[in-house]
Amino acid sequence: GESVGLHLPTLSVQEGDNSIINCAYSNSASDYFIWYKQESGKGPQFIIDIRSNMDKRQGQRVTVLLNKTVKHLSLQIAATQPGDSAVYFCAENRAAGNKLTFGGGTRVLVKP
Amino acid sequence: DARVTQTPRHKVTEMGQEVTMRCQPILGHNTVFWYRQTMMQGLELLAYFRNRAPLDDSGMPKDRFSAEMPDATLATLKIQPSEPRDSAVYFCASGLGQGDSPLHFGNGTRLTVT
């Protein structure tokens, strides 16, 4: 499958533990943020999104936190499972109309 | 589940040959994007269409790359002539064209130019 970067930061997590993946963004005008998960051989898959008028949003086993003051976004995965092993990307919408800019990605490895 | 479909999944070609990649966006989506993913550069935006009209292709090498939408159900990305440095995975994504809705990606075309 695709190798999305030999130099990706990697987070090793024990199965069952919680994971926290961080992302810094640069454009204070960005108003919409998304987390994607990319598994080997597949395209990025939507996980969860958040608008800039919110600071927290929860999904199934995932929570996204947005700190606009320091331009920081995080993804928390509860009770990490082997199927969560993937590369995770944050993306920001810097202009009207869906045009997303992606961060460099974080590889998550779940140890059984 | 509605999904973005890309063909071919894999393409191996020799330098100098023409390559055409195809994408069927999700029905009802009015924006289509082409991204390229490499180990060194990550995900780069190549081109962007809204209602089949090209809005931004500033990320695309103009001399060899071209992107079109012949109709609402088909987007194409062509490389002519191809070069080894074009080897990458090319993703198509579609969306509703709203600033607060996600893009949905296909599974990509892995291109290898020898």
Side-chain angles (χ1 to χ4, degrees):
Chain A
E2 292 83 14
S3 175
V4 297
L6 291 176
H7 307 293
L8 281 180
T10 299
L11 176 67
S12 291
V13 183
Q14 199 69 39
E15 182 179 356
D17 287 352
N18 297 336
S19 304
I20 299 177
I21 307 163
N22 296 303
C23 177
Y25 63 95
S26 57
N27 191 336
S28 56
S30 294
D31 56 7
Y32 175 62
F33 304 87
I34 308 175
W35 280 100
Y36 283 92
K37 172 186 180 183
Q38 187 175 20
E39 297 174 281
S40 182
K42 296 185 178 180
Q45 177 187 2
F46 170 80
I47 303 174
I48 191 167
D49 57 2
I50 189 166
R51 296 182 179 84
S52 59
N53 62 352
M54 305 170 69
D55 53 22
K56 180 179 180 179
R57 190 166 186 220
Q58 288 185 287
Q60 187 177 15
R61 282 202 308 118
V62 294
T63 301
V64 55
L65 299 177
L66 175 62
N67 185 330
K68 294 181 288 293
T69 302
V70 295
K71 295 200 282 290
H72 183 267
L73 192 69
S74 68
L75 178 71
Q76 300 177 0
I77 306 173
T80 312
Q81 302 170 358
D84 296 326
S85 292
V87 177
Y88 290 80
F89 293 94
C90 64
E92 59 183 301
N93 190 58
R94 293 183 176 181
N98 255 173
K99 187 175 176 181
L100 296 177
T101 301
F102 284 81
T106 297
R107 188 183 305 275
V108 171
L109 295 175
V110 181
K111 297 177 288 186
Chain B
D1 282 343
R3 58 183 64 189
V4 175
T5 303
Q6 290 186 248
T7 57
R9 287 298 317 275
H10 302 273
K11 176 71 176 178
V12 180
T13 192
E14 291 184 347
M15 183 174 67
Q17 297 297 304
E18 177 178 303
V19 175
T20 299
M21 291 169 272
R22 293 177 173 82
C23 168
Q24 180 177 7
I26 291 174
L27 188 65
H29 284 185
N30 67 349
T31 56
V32 173
F33 296 75
W34 284 103
Y35 284 87
R36 176 170 62 186
Q37 188 174 47
T38 61
M39 289 170 56
M40 298 306 296
Q41 299 295 329
L43 275 162
E44 304 172 272
L45 178 64
L46 297 176
Y48 161 32
F49 290 79
R50 177 187 288 273
N51 296 324
R52 295 176 55 202
L55 288 193
D56 184 354
D57 60 2
S58 58
M60 210 164 62
K62 303 290 192 305
D63 56 338
R64 299 183 300 107
F65 284 59
S66 62
E68 297 179 345
M69 281 200 72
D71 60 61
T73 64
L74 176 65
T76 62
L77 179 66
K78 292 185 180 180
I79 309 174
Q80 168 63 21
S82 58
E83 298 180 2
R85 59 180 167 152
D86 301 329
S87 297
V89 182
Y90 291 81
F91 288 105
C92 174
S94 69
L96 290 172
Q98 300 162 357
D100 59 356
S101 63
L103 293 184
H104 297 269
F105 284 77
N107 283 327
T109 294
R110 175 182 283 277
L111 174 64
T112 303
V113 183
T114 61

